[in-house]
Amino acid sequence: MSTALATVLTNASTAVAADCSVPGRNPDAVMPTPTAPARRLAVSLLGSVLLSGCHTTTPAHQTPASPAPAITESRVVASQPAATGPGLTPPQRLNALADTITATPGDATTAIPYTYLRTQSWTRATNAITRAELRQWRRDSNGSGQEKIRRLPDLPGLNHQPERHEPALLAQAPETTTEHLSGGLHPYLPEPLPDDAPALADMLAPVELADEPAYPRLLANGVVTLASTQYLNQAQRATSLRVLAAIPGITYRGQSADIVGRTGLTFTIAADGSISQLLVNPGSGEILAAHERLSGRRTGLFSAVLILERGHTTDTGTTLRP
């Protein structure tokens, strides 16, 4: 490990030491929030804000085992021919997708006060998998808002594969509500986000780490974290897709579906003893789901997330309707 990476990881460990629970803070109390740059760097290096717990990492240079994908059941997806046609490299496919994605209803409501996100996550703890659903309302003008968290009992062991019945169980689990005062909820990255892919990539994973074996994994985690904690408009989604296109070694695995039946294009990144999978909506460019598994001595699930709802609401507690 280089001196630069060791220093950054040490600083990151300190920044997130108090946040070893889902999703990035203590759900039972309003905790002091790190500054945005420290929080971004800590989460980028130690895993996704929604996906990270107190993890045991896998040594670099190990050959990752084939994952048991959370994204299954190949299906035909009606999408832009430019992005799904034959003969394209994965970067060409992602760049073509970035050029052709369409707007979503949420793109027309960015003036509404609260950004709303609903996710479900499966996260590696020391010897168990934690399961949680987060609904978050963040007032964009001052960082106040509300979070509602549901949890299922932890599952012992690390090889659990998210199953089809679990999303419904999570949606019915006991709920804890936390109110956040002004400044209590920070966006993952400060707005406005850069529209230049290299600039955004450098914010997600510092460019000085580009020669490290972990860099592709860090960059993929950064993109997933950004998509699962912050609303991205059409232009921002396109830029994030171009960031994915530049990840060294990214591959395309065809069209598939997640455990709640949503179809998309599957991309994988193998690096630093792990394999990450991302499911991308070919129409809107939204990341629908992501999944990472580790190999080596601690083989098993590292993290999985379903990004179920995103948009804007007028009040906390208000949910989106189809």
Side-chain angles (χ1 to χ4, degrees), residues 273-296:
S274 82
I275 295 182
S276 300
Q277 260 186 27
L278 289 76
L279 185 70
V280 180
N281 183 314
S284 66
E286 297 170 296
I287 294 177
L288 303 175
H291 182 273
E292 183 180 7
R293 292 186 68 84
L294 300 183
S295 61

Side-chain angles (χ1 to χ4, degrees), residues 70-301:
I71 301 167
T72 58
E73 290 193 3
S74 294
R75 301 184 183 183
V76 175
V77 179
S79 58
Q80 301 291 343
T84 58
L88 296 178
T89 66
Q92 288 172 336
R93 199 174 300 277
L94 281 160
N95 284 317
L97 185 60
D99 290 338
T100 56
I101 60 173
T102 58
T104 66
D107 294 341
T109 59
T110 54
I112 295 178
Y114 288 92
T115 290
Y116 171 69
L117 293 163
R118 175 178 169 236
T119 62
Q120 292 180 345
S121 62
W122 290 254
T123 308
R124 173 187 287 232
T126 304
N127 290 299
I129 299 298
T130 66
R131 300 175 290 173
E133 176 179 285
L134 170 68
R135 291 190 294 153
Q136 182 191 85
W137 294 262
R138 183 180 67 244
R139 192 175 187 91
D140 298 326
S141 62
N142 66 1
S144 64
Q146 183 185 89
E147 291 181 314
K148 293 180 179 290
I149 298 175
R150 299 180 185 271
R151 297 173 183 271
L152 291 175
D154 293 352
L155 296 173
L158 302 176
N159 276 312
H160 177 70
Q161 181 69 24
E163 299 177 356
R164 292 183 179 280
H165 68 281
E166 290 181 86
L169 292 178
L170 274 168
Q172 299 170 10
E175 186 174 73
T176 299
T177 299
T178 302
E179 300 289 344
H180 293 272
L181 301 178
S182 179
L185 291 175
H186 293 275
Y188 181 52
L189 294 181
E191 293 280 2
L193 297 177
D195 56 9
D196 176 70
L200 180 59
D202 190 36
M203 295 178 73
L204 294 170
V207 69
E208 60 263 31
L209 302 180
D211 293 331
E212 296 289 343
Y215 180 74
R217 178 187 180 195
L218 300 178
L219 197 51
N221 277 344
V223 172
V224 172
T225 304
L226 182 63
S228 57
T229 62
Q230 196 163 333
Y231 186 86
L232 302 180
N233 62 31
Q234 183 178 358
Q236 292 167 340
R237 295 193 301 273
T239 303
S240 67
L241 291 173
R242 294 188 176 97
V243 171
L244 289 177
I247 293 180
I250 191 167
T251 62
Y252 174 62
R253 294 189 61 181
Q255 304 177 8
S256 54
D258 63 13
I259 59 173
V260 292
R262 300 173 300 171
T263 55
L265 309 182
T266 306
F267 296 89
T268 65
I269 300 95
D272 193 36
S274 82
I275 295 182
S276 300
Q277 260 186 27
L278 289 76
L279 185 70
V280 180
N281 183 314
S284 66
E286 297 170 296
I287 294 177
L288 303 175
H291 182 273
E292 183 180 7
R293 292 186 68 84
L294 300 183
S295 61
R297 293 186 304 109
R298 302 280 287 174
T299 297
L301 181 70

